Amino acid sequence: MSTTARATLAQIKAEILRTVRNKRFVIFSIIMPAAFYFIFTSTVGDNTQVGGTDWKAYYLMSMTTYGVIGASVTSLAVRIARERSQGWTRLMRITPLPGWAQITAKVAGQGLLNLCIILFMFLIGALVKDVNLTALQWIESGLWIWLGAFAFMSLGTLLGTIRNVEVVQVVGNMVYMAMSIVGGLWMPTATMPDLMQTIAKAMPTYQLGQGAWSIVGGGAIEWMGVGILAAYVVVFMILSTYIIRKQEAV
Amino acid sequence: MAVAIQLDNVSKSFKGKKAVDSLSLTIEQGTVVALLGPNGAGKTTTVSMILGLQQPTTGSVKLLGGDPREISVRDRIGAMLQEVSVVDSLKVAETINLFRSYYTKPLPLDRLLKVSNLEGERNKLASALSGGQQRRLGFAIALAGDPDVLFLDEPTVGMDVSSRQLFWETVRAMAGRGRTIVLTTHYLEEADSVADRIVVINNGKLVADGTPSEIKAGTNGRVISFTAGSSVTTELLRAIPGIDDIEWSQNRVMLKSADTDRLLINLVKYGIEMRDIEIMSGGLEEAFQTLVNK
């Protein structure tokens, strides 16, 4: 194996270690979504019908999406901001690890963690709550959430350009919570007034959730949703590239 | 001897203000060079340009014969930079191993732990280390790839005395094995004892370049001091050639001179009453102050 390949793997391992040792990550991305899932399925009722499916299946998708987005936005943003503020990014630039390998490692590491969150939530749903989906529905919805989460990493990168780690922590959580609530991950958009429903549809959080809700409801993913998510990625990436360029142009 | 670092007429401006001004410098492989200068003289900017972290406004920089941004060049260098903290949530050995993985011929982990004196801390979280220990971890990381050229930007800030000693011993041993070392430091006695060559920068310009003894001799020469007899007066001494400066402290007189050997002969020739004669070379500190205050 080449040095770069070996180094990239070591980097992925380091990214994962750093994240799972972070208590905030464990609380916000694993414990909270699971706890919310139990609380809201027992208060609303497991088998209440929402969007053509059982609430316990619908809400499993909501909370899995919620957890994965939190990890991709907040914990990634804080990690990036911390590296930058501690001069770590500067030191990495004089090592032989190419810049693209560092980015690949970040994205791949976060991708693996997201996969674990999805598996964990799905296991809770299937084993504890007896959520009944076909094998194809499990795979499709899991894969959709997993792939869609990569879009939110671009938002995490954008927030990571803020220089102050504490500010990133607060802003990251605020953006994440607001987008999750407005996008209908906490409570279905069907319970919202008309205006809020229209706003919800513009949220990337809603679009990611919608794909999964649609799959468990027996429908398919809408290309419109994919388009909206892709548009967000482009905007976030352009913004963060622009900001990083400006910050480094001294 | 092969050239490790070459700066050709390098200038760097920040918003129209020149931080480095037409600096030319060639550093041969195997030398230990200390870059000295007051705060804001352009030392860190110079090091950043040699490392490829900043690009010169004009002029060219070559490191090991290539562009410092090339991967093959970066594989052969290591650096302790200023204002770099440790990565969060990784242990000491994990951090060192991560850096070892980047290089084609890394040094063994145990050796790196030993030279940084962190053997007892290998399983501690890097963020739990003291400031001095974190600097030593930075040193281990800089050495991880067994570099041919090592950059040390204010390396001993925050280290205690014994860490500092071990640190310079290791650096000296490395220099003996043909490594090129570029260091900046505020502690002039460190530069004096470690460097083969001292380059003084002020206002972005090179103001002196030479071995530590050349720098010391070239600027303020040496001092002859003695306890003067009652017949000795300032007027009497003024008549003697070769004295640059006369200073009294009670009945002891200090004479600065570029050539103390000749002056001593002259003092005897003129029949000056002297007891307890001492000849001292000026310190690097004094030489440095003279250079940067010109």
Side-chain angles (χ1 to χ4, degrees), chain B residues 248-253:
Chain B
W248 286 86
S249 106
Q250 290 174 348
N251 61 344
R252 193 143 180 99
V253 67

Side-chain angles (χ1 to χ4, degrees), chain A residues 43-66:
Chain A
T43 50
V44 177
D46 284 357
N47 300 318
T48 309
Q49 290 297 297
V50 179
T53 183
D54 288 348
W55 171 243
K56 64 182 179 187
Y58 183 96
Y59 205 57
L60 180 64
M61 296 301 138
S62 308
M63 280 301 111
T64 307
T65 306
Y66 174 72

Side-chain angles (χ1 to χ4, degrees), chain A residues 22-221:
Chain A
N22 180 354
K23 287 187 194 76
R24 277 176 195 273
F25 165 79
V26 179
I27 293 168
F28 281 97
S29 300
I30 296 175
I31 297 176
M32 258 178 64
F36 276 157
Y37 181 59
F38 282 116
I39 293 167
F40 285 102
T41 44
S42 43
T43 50
V44 177
D46 284 357
N47 300 318
T48 309
Q49 290 297 297
V50 179
T53 183
D54 288 348
W55 171 243
K56 64 182 179 187
Y58 183 96
Y59 205 57
L60 180 64
M61 296 301 138
S62 308
M63 280 301 111
T64 307
T65 306
Y66 174 72
V68 164
I69 291 175
S72 305
V73 175
T74 317
S75 97
L76 184 65
V78 168
R79 243 164 42 237
I80 293 172
R82 192 163 279 156
E83 281 168 23
R84 287 164 60 87
S85 69
Q86 292 180 333
W88 206 252
T89 315
R90 206 153 46 92
L91 187 61
M92 289 298 289
R93 277 170 61 199
I94 65 155
T95 71
L97 187 68
W100 61 262
Q102 294 169 38
I103 296 166
T104 307
K106 271 219 161 44
V107 173
Q110 193 61 55
L112 279 171
L113 288 165
N114 288 347
L115 196 61
C116 294
I117 296 172
I118 295 169
L119 288 175
F120 173 72
M121 290 298 292
F122 279 16
L123 281 174
I124 288 182
L127 301 179
V128 183
K129 279 288 178 178
D130 231 355
V131 172
N132 204 358
L133 297 176
T134 66
L136 195 65
Q137 278 176 319
W138 282 118
I139 293 168
E140 272 185 359
S141 58
L143 212 56
W144 164 254
I145 295 172
W146 186 67
L147 286 173
F150 283 93
F152 288 88
M153 289 184 205
S154 59
L155 177 58
T157 312
L158 177 62
L159 292 172
T161 60
I162 300 172
R163 293 239 189 240
N164 185 315
V165 178
E166 278 72 43
V167 176
V168 174
Q169 194 95 53
V170 173
V171 173
N173 272 325
M174 266 165 41
V175 169
Y176 159 53
M177 292 291 177
M179 281 196 333
S180 299
I181 295 168
V182 176
L185 296 181
W186 282 23
M187 276 297 136
T189 51
T191 63
M192 297 177 182
D194 284 352
L195 175 66
M196 289 307 287
Q197 287 199 27
T198 317
I199 298 173
K201 289 197 171 68
M203 288 286 124
T205 39
Y206 171 84
Q207 294 302 336
L208 186 58
Q210 177 55 31
W213 297 321
S214 177
I215 291 167
V216 297
I221 291 158

Side-chain angles (χ1 to χ4, degrees), chain B residues 132-289:
Chain B
Q133 287 172 327
Q134 292 193 356
R135 285 305 274 168
R136 284 190 269 141
L137 177 58
F139 183 50
I141 285 170
L143 292 180
D146 195 11
D148 292 333
V149 185
L150 181 64
F151 294 84
L152 306 169
D153 199 358
E154 298 287 349
T156 53
V157 172
M159 284 189 199
D160 57 33
V161 177
S162 63
S163 299
R164 215 173 267 184
Q165 261 166 7
L166 175 74
F167 177 81
W168 289 118
E169 267 167 38
T170 313
V171 170
R172 257 186 231 114
M174 285 194 62
R177 286 196 299 271
R179 300 300 176 12
T180 311
I181 297 166
V182 178
L183 62 103
T184 71
T185 176
H186 265 89
Y187 301 101
L188 296 176
E189 66 275 23
E190 291 184 341
D192 194 5
S193 70
V194 141
D196 313 321
R197 181 177 168 193
I198 289 180
V199 172
V200 183
I201 296 178
N202 195 23
N203 296 322
K205 286 194 170 109
L206 194 144
V207 291
D209 184 355
T211 63
S213 43
E214 278 169 357
I215 298 274
K216 282 183 272 186
T219 51
N220 57 351
R222 291 156 39 116
V223 174
I224 295 181
S225 66
F226 53 85
T227 307
S230 53
S231 66
V232 182
T233 60
T234 306
E235 284 70 41
L236 194 61
L237 292 169
R238 283 232 170 92
I240 302 170
I243 298 177
D244 296 338
D245 193 25
I246 303 169
E247 242 176 77
W248 286 86
S249 106
Q250 290 174 348
N251 61 344
R252 193 143 180 99
V253 67
M254 286 195 285
L255 306 175
K256 277 194 186 171
S257 171
D259 187 346
T260 43
D261 297 341
R262 181 152 297 273
L263 178 59
L264 189 60
I265 294 167
N266 283 339
L267 288 168
V268 173
K269 219 188 269 174
Y270 277 73
I272 303 291
E273 279 183 76
M274 303 183 285
R275 276 178 294 127
D276 304 328
I277 304 169
E278 274 184 278
I279 302 183
M280 298 169 294
S281 53
L284 187 61
E285 176 77 50
E286 283 177 6
F288 176 72
Q289 289 305 335

Side-chain angles (χ1 to χ4, degrees), chain B residues 21-40:
Chain B
D21 192 357
S22 318
L23 187 66
S24 291
L25 187 63
T26 304
I27 296 172
E28 274 95 31
Q29 277 181 25
T31 45
V32 181
V33 179
L35 229 51
L36 302 183
N39 283 332

Side-chain angles (χ1 to χ4, degrees), chain A residues 3 6-7 10-11 14 17-18 21-22 79 82-83 85-88 90-98 250, chain B residues 12 14 51 53 71 74-75 79 81-91 94 98-99 101-104 141:
Chain A
T3 307
R6 203 156 29 86
Q11 191 74 10
L17 269 177
R18 283 175 63 198
R21 282 183 188 154
N22 180 354
R79 243 164 42 237
R82 192 163 279 156
E83 281 168 23
S85 69
Q86 292 180 333
W88 206 252
R90 206 153 46 92
L91 187 61
M92 289 298 289
R93 277 170 61 199
I94 65 155
T95 71
L97 187 68
V250 261
Chain B
K12 176 75 181 173
F14 296 107
L51 288 169
L53 290 171
I71 304 280
R74 290 198 251 161
D75 192 38
L81 301 176
Q82 286 190 70
E83 288 159 24
V84 172
S85 175
V86 293
V87 79
D88 56 292
S89 310
L90 284 186
K91 292 175 183 170
E94 287 168 353
L98 180 63
F99 272 76
S101 77
Y102 302 154
Y103 298 91
T104 48
I141 285 170

